[in-house]
Amino acid sequence: MNFQKSNDTEEVSEDMRVAFLLHGSTTDEMWYNVDNIEWGTKVDEADSITKQGLKVKNKAIMLSELFRYMSWDDEKIPEAVSNRFSELTLKEYKSAIEIIQLILTSIEYSTGFSSVENNGKMDFEALTKYLTSYRKKMSLFREDPEGYLGIEK
């Protein structure tokens, strides 16, 4: 994701809202829901990091951060979740939470990661090689997880 100039964020916000309506639904409630989010910028002066992503409209609350705090207690599955998905183990719950967090942060821009993300420029040949190498690594991991990770049995 590239950093958006402040005069472009409203257009990006509107595109995101429309996308959520098209992907989700156009119920009365959804119109209000999408109007309460925006694509915006948050500056964390303590860490000198600027982030852009989905956030609560007119507030410095990134949705990824909100989700992280909602799922902060990872030592137990929330009661509503365990009531609905009684077969879900704590390990599976933790995995799902981490992946949902990755999905939310995957569309964000952060100055903290801009150097390793090549400032949003994509080299598709390098990306293909990178993806191929990680598919191989996943295969090796599945064959012997502890051995691949260097964990003593």
Side-chain angles (χ1 to χ4, degrees):
M1 182 60 63
N2 290 326
F3 186 81
Q4 301 295 314
K5 296 176 190 150
S6 60
N7 58 341
D8 294 335
T9 57
E10 184 52 41
E11 186 174 337
V12 173
S13 294
E14 206 66 3
D15 288 346
M16 296 297 283
R17 292 178 189 121
V18 167
F20 285 126
L21 287 169
L22 291 171
H23 176 72
S25 73
T26 55
T27 62
D28 295 350
E29 184 178 353
M30 188 57 80
W31 289 91
Y32 290 103
N33 290 341
V34 300
D35 200 39
N36 283 318
I37 59 105
E38 67 184 354
W39 184 267
T41 304
K42 178 183 177 188
V43 178
D44 184 347
E45 293 173 11
D47 295 325
S48 299
I49 292 177
T50 299
K51 285 184 176 182
Q52 272 191 347
L54 288 173
K55 60 187 252 334
V56 177
K57 190 175 180 180
N58 300 320
K59 298 200 177 357
I61 303 172
M62 305 299 286
L63 296 189
S64 62
E65 293 173 1
L66 177 61
F67 178 76
R68 175 56 77 196
Y69 281 94
M70 290 169 51
S71 59
W72 197 260
D73 182 5
D74 64 354
E75 295 308 313
K76 64 180 178 158
I77 299 174
E79 186 177 341
V81 175
S82 63
N83 286 343
R84 172 63 179 90
F85 304 103
S86 59
E87 71 280 10
L88 189 66
T89 68
L90 181 59
K91 185 176 181 179
E92 292 165 335
Y93 170 74
K94 287 180 177 184
S95 295
I97 291 301
E98 192 60 35
I99 298 304
I100 294 168
Q101 181 69 21
L102 287 174
I103 291 168
L104 287 169
T105 58
S106 73
I107 63 169
E108 290 182 352
Y109 169 85
S110 172
T111 55
F113 295 115
S114 63
S115 63
V116 296
E117 293 178 349
N118 199 22
N119 290 314
K121 296 180 186 97
M122 184 66 64
D123 178 342
F124 288 102
E125 185 177 332
L127 176 63
T128 300
K129 289 178 183 177
Y130 196 63
L131 293 174
T132 300
S133 74
Y134 267 82
R135 285 188 175 124
K136 177 66 176 168
K137 290 176 183 188
M138 279 301 302
S139 176
L140 294 171
F141 166 79
R142 287 188 182 112
E143 288 174 15
D144 179 18
E146 290 82 11
Y148 183 79
L149 297 173
I151 299 171
E152 292 186 30
K153 296 179 183 183

